[in-house]
Amino acid sequence: MFTIININHLIIMKKLLLLASFAFVFGSCSSDLDQVKSTNEMSVNQKGVSVNVYENDEVKNLDYESIGILHNEGLDFLYSNLVSVPNTFPNLVEFNGPGNFVRDYTLEFINTSAFANSELQYDNFLEILNEVGYTNEEYNSSTSDDYSNKLNDLTQGAFTSPAAQNMFDFVETQFQKYSESESFTVNDFEANLRPKEAELNALLDNGSITQIEYVSLRSVIVTAIYSLHYWDANYINWIAMAGEGSSYTVLSNVPIISKDTFAGVGKADVRGAIYGSIRGFLMAGPGGLISGAGGGALGGSAAKIVINIIKR
């Protein structure tokens, strides 16, 4: 079960009240915490908050690696449940609708994993997944590119300082290198990104980036690495799961087992992590950002894989 408000959580809530008073809020100047936590009152481009309310060491020493671990474990959970019965994947999607399918299976994993002990509660995860996923109606009228554009819009303006934007651009460049070069491997991708974690520490300490930009970028780097390793090894298994005997078929019968495809899913995972880490951080402080990032990355990943490999 998800944690109920306790003494530590009350302390975090007090800090969040201070953060909320300095945050940019859509359509209102109120610092009411409920508005800060509301999806309708808050979007990612509002998170360039210039006030740091936690100690830098507190946000630097969080277990960011667990974001990637939970992301990959969650995908394995979805896959193992779907392949346990023949045609489960196409039949469930067709019966329940792809939007509900992605959300419900992701929530099931969240409720039975380390996520369940998070500072975030069930409704918080549901809000994040509803934002990084898509409704059944959106799915029926969307392409894979449309979903990518939705995630781009959702995270537009997340980084307001030049140093943070430059770091995110570097990550995007590494995805591009992986897509375009056969000799550029997943291990090369990781080797280029790992040193950036130490660079982010320095940027935070010298005030070049905010704490929210820092936690989001740390989430981005870990998610990117774990995601690309996962899809490079497992994408073909998910494709095979589409199966026959339903109205869902592999998109246009075109080759989609490619490095460019892996990178595309990885970018969706990263944008889910951006949104989830920022939302989690504002909802529950440092304890919420890890789970928020992991949940957002998993939700974005599951949504992207479904819309990538099947279509009416």
Side-chain angles (χ1 to χ4, degrees):
M1 297 297 293
F2 292 89
T3 54
I4 306 299
I5 293 177
N6 50 31
I7 293 175
N8 290 332
H9 194 65
L10 288 174
I11 293 173
I12 290 172
M13 295 288 278
K14 288 179 181 178
K15 290 181 178 181
L16 285 173
L17 286 172
L18 175 60
L19 179 62
S21 68
F22 289 95
F24 297 106
V25 180
F26 265 145
S28 173
C29 294
S30 170
S31 62
D32 188 321
L33 186 59
D34 287 340
Q35 288 185 328
V36 176
K37 292 166 68 175
S38 167
T39 300
N40 294 328
E41 297 291 340
M42 181 175 62
S43 69
V44 165
N45 64 1
Q46 303 263 309
K47 308 307 187 307
V49 180
S50 60
V51 176
N52 294 336
V53 299
Y54 301 96
E55 296 294 331
N56 282 350
D57 284 345
E58 187 175 359
V59 297
K60 286 194 293 187
N61 295 328
L62 292 168
D63 184 13
Y64 291 94
E65 212 69 18
S66 64
I67 297 171
I69 293 170
L70 286 170
H71 167 271
N72 289 9
E73 287 179 352
L75 289 172
D76 281 339
F77 173 85
L78 267 66
Y79 179 80
S80 63
N81 277 274
L82 291 172
V83 298
S84 60
V85 179
N87 289 322
T88 296
F89 182 63
N91 290 339
L92 275 180
V93 172
E94 201 161 352
F95 174 75
N96 199 29
N100 293 340
F101 163 82
V102 169
R103 181 198 63 211
D104 294 347
Y105 265 70
T106 304
L107 283 171
E108 183 177 344
F109 171 73
I110 286 172
N111 199 38
T112 57
S113 69
F115 281 122
N117 297 318
S118 166
E119 292 287 348
L120 294 183
Q121 300 187 25
Y122 181 90
D123 288 345
N124 302 143
F125 282 111
L126 183 59
E127 289 177 11
I128 291 171
L129 292 175
N130 282 339
E131 288 298 317
V132 302
Y134 42 71
T135 65
N136 295 332
E137 291 75 16
E138 286 176 319
Y139 174 85
N140 290 332
S141 61
S142 297
T143 65
S144 181
D145 287 343
D146 290 333
Y147 178 61
S148 295
N149 291 336
K150 173 183 175 174
L151 290 178
N152 288 338
D153 292 342
L154 186 67
T155 55
Q156 185 69 33
F159 307 115
T160 58
S161 68
Q165 186 61 54
N166 288 341
M167 186 67 73
F168 181 69
D169 290 344
F170 178 83
V171 176
E172 293 281 273
T173 299
Q174 300 312 299
F175 274 120
Q176 193 69 24
K177 285 184 177 180
Y178 176 79
S179 299
E180 295 176 350
S181 173
E182 287 300 321
S183 62
F184 192 84
T185 67
V186 177
N187 291 333
D188 294 327
F189 181 87
E190 179 172 3
N192 285 355
L193 288 187
R194 284 299 185 187
K196 297 301 177 181
E197 294 174 310
E199 289 185 30
L200 284 172
N201 289 341
L203 290 172
L204 177 63
D205 286 338
N206 68 27
S208 296
I209 61 176
T210 66
Q211 286 182 353
I212 287 184
E213 289 174 325
Y214 174 87
V215 299
S216 184
L217 286 166
R218 285 293 302 272
S219 303
V220 162
I221 289 173
V222 169
T223 299
I225 291 169
Y226 275 82
S227 173
L228 208 56
H229 274 290
Y230 182 88
W231 291 117
D232 187 76
N234 295 291
Y235 196 88
I236 193 169
N237 296 328
W238 285 76
I239 293 293
M241 193 168 54
E244 298 178 356
S246 76
S247 60
Y248 289 84
T249 57
V250 175
L251 281 175
S252 306
N253 295 318
V254 297
I256 54 176
I257 308 296
S258 69
K259 294 179 72 178
D260 184 61
T261 303
F262 307 151
V265 181
K267 289 180 180 180
D269 299 1
V270 161
R271 282 159 175 77
I274 292 173
Y275 188 82
S277 64
I278 292 173
R279 286 298 306 276
F281 190 72
L282 289 180
M283 286 174 175
L289 84 90
I290 298 295
S291 295
L298 177 56
S301 195
K304 181 67 172 178
I305 186 68
V306 169
I307 203 168
N308 243 29
I309 68 176
I310 58 171
K311 195 68 178 176
R312 285 191 188 279

